[in-house]
């Protein structure tokens, strides 16, 4: 629950900056997480999921277009090290 609160705070902080909502991009790893984020950013911006529906984050191989989406995003949200470790490697570059 604490992690969820931190993510909500991060989203609120990100939207409180001078960045235009149309220019603000949010990327999530899996569809269920994206559904939650879409509810949080509704009316402000949109979010998109990297993994196609039904794909396991444990063995997914990122495509170059996925890497570009993550690198171009203003906010990347994923569950954590146990589920979907690949964004961590790209975001830290």
């Amino acid at each position: 629950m604490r992690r969820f609160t931190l993510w909500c705070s991060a989203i609120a902080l990100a939207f409180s900056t001078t960045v235009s909502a149309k220019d603000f991009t949010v990327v999530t790893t899996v569809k269920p997480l994206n559904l939650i984020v879409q509810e949080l950013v509704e009316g402000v911006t949109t979010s998109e999921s990297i993994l196609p529906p039904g794909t396991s984050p444990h063995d997914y191989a990122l495509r170059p277009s996925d890497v570009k989406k993550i690198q171009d995003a203003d906010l990347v949200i994923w569950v954590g090290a146990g589920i979907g470790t690949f964004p961590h490697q790209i975001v830290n570059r």
Side-chain angles (χ1 to χ4, degrees):
M1 184 66 174
R2 182 173 182 210
R3 221 180 249 182
F4 181 73
T5 303
L6 289 174
W7 280 118
C8 291
S9 298
I11 291 171
L13 179 62
F15 288 126
S16 68
T17 63
T18 58
V19 176
S20 169
K22 291 181 182 177
D23 298 328
F24 194 85
T25 57
V26 180
V27 173
T28 64
T29 52
V30 293
K31 186 67 175 176
L33 182 59
N34 193 48
L35 294 172
I36 295 168
V37 172
Q38 283 177 341
E39 291 296 318
L40 293 172
V41 301
E42 185 178 1
V44 179
T45 192
T46 59
S47 66
E48 62 180 310
S49 177
I50 295 290
L51 274 68
T55 305
S56 170
H58 300 288
D59 57 0
Y60 183 72
L62 288 174
R63 299 175 304 197
S65 61
D66 297 332
V67 173
K68 180 155 178 49
K69 279 183 193 177
I70 292 171
Q71 290 174 337
D72 292 345
D74 295 303
L75 180 62
V76 179
I77 301 174
W78 73 96
V79 175
I83 302 175
T85 59
F86 58 85
H88 181 68
Q89 299 163 355
I90 297 167
V91 172
N92 284 335
R93 288 184 188 177

